[in-house]
Amino acid sequence: MKPDAKYRQQLQDAHVHSDTSFKVPAQGVMPFFEVKVTSPRKVNDAINPYTVYKVITKTNSTAFREREFSVSRRFRDFYWLHEQLSNGNPGVIVPPPPEKHVLGRFQEDFVESRRLGLERMIQKIMTHPHLYGDPDVKIFLESEKFNEHVTSRRKNSSKGLFQILGNVMSGATATFIKHAEPDEWFEARRNQLDQLETQIKGLHKAIESVSKQRKELATNYQRFGDGLMSVASFELKPEVAVLLEDYAQLQKNLKEVYEAQSQTDMGTLGAMTDEYLRMIGAVRAALNSRTKIYSTWQSLYNDLDRRRLALPKAEKSYNFMRYSELKEEMNQLERRVMDTKHEFEDITKLVRSELDRFDREKVEDYQKCLEFYLSSMISSQEQIIKLWEDFVAHVESGDSEAFEIVNKEYTMDPDRKDPEPYSVISSSPKRASLEDSHSEHDVEINVDVDAKERQPTNWSLPSTPVPMSPPTTSADKVTAPIPDDTTTSVWN
């Protein structure tokens, strides 16, 4: 299996292990959904080429026409779904799609990584109790005329947006003034979210560094193997050449293991940290939805107070028309203030439950991801050990004549009285000639062994003057008593 195939399989396994209770039990309130994003295909458009994915859905929900169906969707269609769900479900943490990339978006590994990210996004949406029944989800999963539906939904959402803006701006007051957070619990959660983002960014950076180091190590193994193959091609002894070639092949096999592990690092922990950095953005969007509703509530309440203050003035001035207008405006504002207050209370409860759900899913996702990551690390180490064991077994086997040469070249000296561990004496003619040439210039050193328990020996200098260091001054001279022991000269 090629490294890229191994990588894709590992990502598939990691994706399966990281799913968070995707299949809803039959006895639960939610229907059963199984959604897969498969078969990415590049469309060579003349102006802007793009990738199309096949979205396959299986369900027992009566809201859909069939129990199993499939559609083709572009990457931008997933973005459309995310925007629609975010705008239509304030306070809900909507799982985001992978980020947009311009460069390298058609490379095989990138397309596969993006496919898994899109699949995980849609699966999380289908397990969310507030999102799986959204009309936009049904359009995305089932519609054969998707572009027409998108255009229609965009027009309707535009009308709704203008209506909302008109209602909010009707007071012509400081609607967008930032108000202080009234709940300390939410303020603490925002601070925790900031800390979590910093920690996950640090983890993601560390994973990228480790993955990069493994990739560099794999490249060095490849270079080392190529170098060994070059040396083997010039080796005069065929047996040694075979040994070098086998060792070079070992380096190339190790290269594949480290390269696959580098890709797995980014495909598991790297993908998980990247996903949760995007999820933190979705959490902030849910918190901001609550903040906006609170600001609207406070702005409407301030408008109501101003009209209450203006009402007595209109009454004293006998401006009955203005008085009637203020009374009508006050009645409308009172209703809107109460509606907005109830809306704020509802979204506060919703965001609290969403944050709790986010915490639970985060722990489950990281636990499953770490379990798979550690399993892949153990598998990689076992592969490395197996490669070395196979290589050693091949060298030591009777089929390998190179091992016999190694035994002949490096042996222990049988005549040595006190052989040192791991010392070797070569029997090759080249080394024997070198030893003979050195034997003519051997220097005999006689050391008095019995003097080891005596005082430090006074070594005598040769009679021939030897160049010394620069002369010292009297302050630098140090005298010491010279023992009367018999000295042993190291000069012959």
Side-chain angles (χ1 to χ4, degrees):
M1 186 181 292
K2 296 182 179 180
D4 55 348
K6 288 183 179 179
Y7 169 57
R8 288 195 295 271
Q9 184 61 41
Q10 287 171 339
L11 288 186
Q12 287 279 11
D13 296 340
H15 183 59
V16 171
H17 283 77
S18 61
D19 284 348
T20 55
S21 61
F22 174 66
K23 295 182 179 181
V24 182
Q27 66 271 18
V29 178
M30 294 173 59
F32 164 81
F33 286 99
E34 182 179 349
V35 185
K36 295 291 183 181
V37 179
T38 63
S39 307
R41 176 176 53 87
K42 181 180 178 181
V43 177
N44 293 316
D45 185 75
I47 300 176
N48 183 25
Y50 56 91
T51 303
V52 173
Y53 302 87
K54 187 176 182 180
V55 182
I56 304 174
T57 305
K58 296 180 181 179
T59 181
N60 60 0
S61 174
T62 56
F64 295 88
R65 296 190 300 268
E66 300 178 2
R67 293 293 177 262
E68 183 175 353
F69 46 90
S70 65
V71 291
S72 296
R73 295 289 181 260
R74 295 177 57 175
F75 177 70
R76 70 180 185 183
D77 299 336
F78 289 86
Y79 254 85
W80 173 86
L81 177 62
H82 176 260
E83 291 178 358
Q84 289 293 111
L85 294 178
S86 299
N87 295 332
N89 299 273
V92 176
I93 301 175
V94 182
E99 294 181 355
K100 297 180 179 179
H101 288 274
V102 178
L103 300 177
R105 57 195 178 103
F106 297 113
Q107 295 179 359
E108 186 177 0
D109 291 343
F110 176 79
V111 172
E112 178 64 15
S113 177
R114 170 176 281 185
R115 183 195 68 79
L116 290 173
L118 295 174
E119 186 176 81
R120 185 166 175 81
M121 165 199 166
I122 193 65
Q123 287 182 350
K124 279 183 169 290
I125 289 174
M126 301 312 295
T127 58
H128 199 293
H130 295 282
L131 298 178
Y132 78 93
D134 193 282
D136 291 317
V137 173
K138 186 175 185 297
I139 292 174
F140 178 84
L141 293 178
E142 190 181 40
S143 176
E144 295 292 343
K145 300 179 180 178
F146 181 73
N147 292 331
E148 296 179 7
H149 281 103
V150 168
T151 304
S152 175
R153 297 287 291 177
R154 187 178 291 115
K155 290 180 180 179
N156 294 334
S157 62
S158 299
K159 293 179 181 178
L161 178 62
F162 286 124
Q163 183 179 0
I164 293 173
L165 289 176
N167 293 335
V168 172
M169 296 298 293
S170 61
T173 57
T175 303
F176 299 101
I177 294 177
K178 184 177 180 181
H179 296 84
E181 173 60 54
D183 195 331
E184 294 181 357
W185 186 86
F186 280 96
E187 188 67 26
R189 290 307 301 262
R190 284 184 180 273
N191 294 334
Q192 293 175 4
L193 198 65
D194 294 339
Q195 296 175 3
L196 177 64
E197 184 179 32
T198 302
Q199 294 170 353
I200 293 181
K201 283 183 177 179
L203 177 60
H204 189 73
K205 186 176 180 180
I207 295 169
E208 287 182 335
S209 178
V210 170
S211 177
K212 182 179 178 182
Q213 290 178 0
R214 293 193 205 279
K215 190 175 296 185
E216 291 176 351
L217 184 59
T219 302
N220 292 333
Y221 272 119
Q222 178 68 41
R223 292 175 180 173
F224 185 35
D226 293 340
L228 289 172
M229 291 296 290
S230 300
V231 172
S233 63
F234 291 99
E235 178 59 47
L236 297 179
K237 294 182 179 180
E239 298 84 358
V240 177
V242 171
L243 179 62
L244 289 174
E245 290 174 356
D246 291 343
Y247 192 51
Q249 185 60 43
L250 171 65
Q251 304 306 309
K252 294 181 179 180
N253 292 338
L254 291 174
K255 173 254 183 184
E256 293 185 359
V257 174
Y258 280 103
E259 191 175 61
Q261 184 60 46
S262 172
Q263 294 172 332
T264 304
D265 292 341
M266 295 306 300
T268 54
L269 276 179
M272 183 64 64
T273 53
D274 186 63
E275 175 186 342
Y276 267 88
L277 286 175
R278 299 194 307 271
M279 286 293 293
I280 288 175
V283 174
R284 285 202 176 98
L287 290 171
N288 291 338
S289 298
R290 174 182 171 275
T291 302
K292 289 178 182 178
I293 294 177
Y294 178 74
S295 298
T296 303
W297 174 33
Q298 293 301 309
S299 298
L300 292 172
Y301 191 81
N302 293 335
D303 286 346
L304 180 60
D305 278 346
R306 280 191 290 271
R307 282 161 175 76
R308 284 173 177 171
L309 293 174
L311 189 64
K313 296 180 181 180
E315 186 179 6
K316 290 180 180 180
S317 63
Y318 298 101
N319 189 346
F320 299 107
M321 183 178 295
R322 177 59 180 162
Y323 181 83
S324 300
E325 291 178 353
L326 288 175
K327 288 287 291 183
E328 181 64 24
E329 290 177 0
M330 285 178 56
N331 292 333
Q332 294 180 1
L333 280 174
E334 284 177 353
R335 289 193 295 269
R336 290 177 61 188
V337 166
M338 292 303 299
D339 292 342
T340 310
K341 178 184 177 182
H342 294 320
E343 187 178 357
F344 174 72
E345 293 173 350
D346 293 339
I347 198 173
T348 297
K349 295 178 182 178
L350 175 61
V351 174
R352 278 180 176 269
S353 64
E354 284 291 283
L355 289 174
D356 293 339
R357 191 173 190 273
F358 171 77
D359 290 337
R360 291 194 305 270
E361 287 191 354
K362 177 186 64 179
V363 172
E364 294 174 359
D365 288 347
Y366 267 97
Q367 180 179 354
K368 294 176 181 179
C369 182
L370 282 172
E371 288 176 356
F372 178 81
Y373 176 74
L374 294 177
S375 176
S376 68
M377 285 291 297
I378 294 173
S379 177
S380 296
Q381 296 304 314
E382 289 176 345
Q383 292 179 42
I384 293 172
I385 294 172
K386 183 67 166 56
L387 288 172
W388 277 105
E389 287 178 345
D390 291 345
F391 174 74
V392 173
H394 174 68
V395 172
E396 293 180 349
S397 64
D399 298 335
S400 178
E401 298 180 1
F403 183 65
E404 298 179 3
I405 295 177
V406 173
N407 283 337
K408 291 179 181 179
E409 291 287 333
Y410 302 101
T411 59
M412 298 296 294
D413 182 9
D415 299 329
R416 192 179 181 93
K417 294 180 180 179
D418 186 17
E420 298 179 1
Y422 310 107
S423 63
V424 295
I425 297 178
S426 174
S427 60
S428 63
K430 185 182 293 186
R431 292 197 178 184
S433 62
L434 290 175
E435 291 174 359
D436 294 341
S437 63
H438 284 298
S439 63
E440 299 176 0
H441 305 283
D442 285 346
V443 180
E444 182 180 358
I445 300 177
N446 298 321
V447 181
D448 186 359
V449 180
D450 296 334
K452 61 184 179 180
E453 296 180 358
R454 303 178 186 174
Q455 296 296 327
T457 305
N458 178 27
W459 301 96
S460 61
L461 297 176
S463 57
T464 305
V466 179
M468 303 294 290
S469 59
T472 58
T473 62
S474 59
D476 297 331
K477 293 181 180 180
V478 179
T479 59
I482 300 176
D484 296 333
D485 296 341
T486 304
T487 60
T488 304
S489 175
V490 296
W491 309 95
N492 294 327

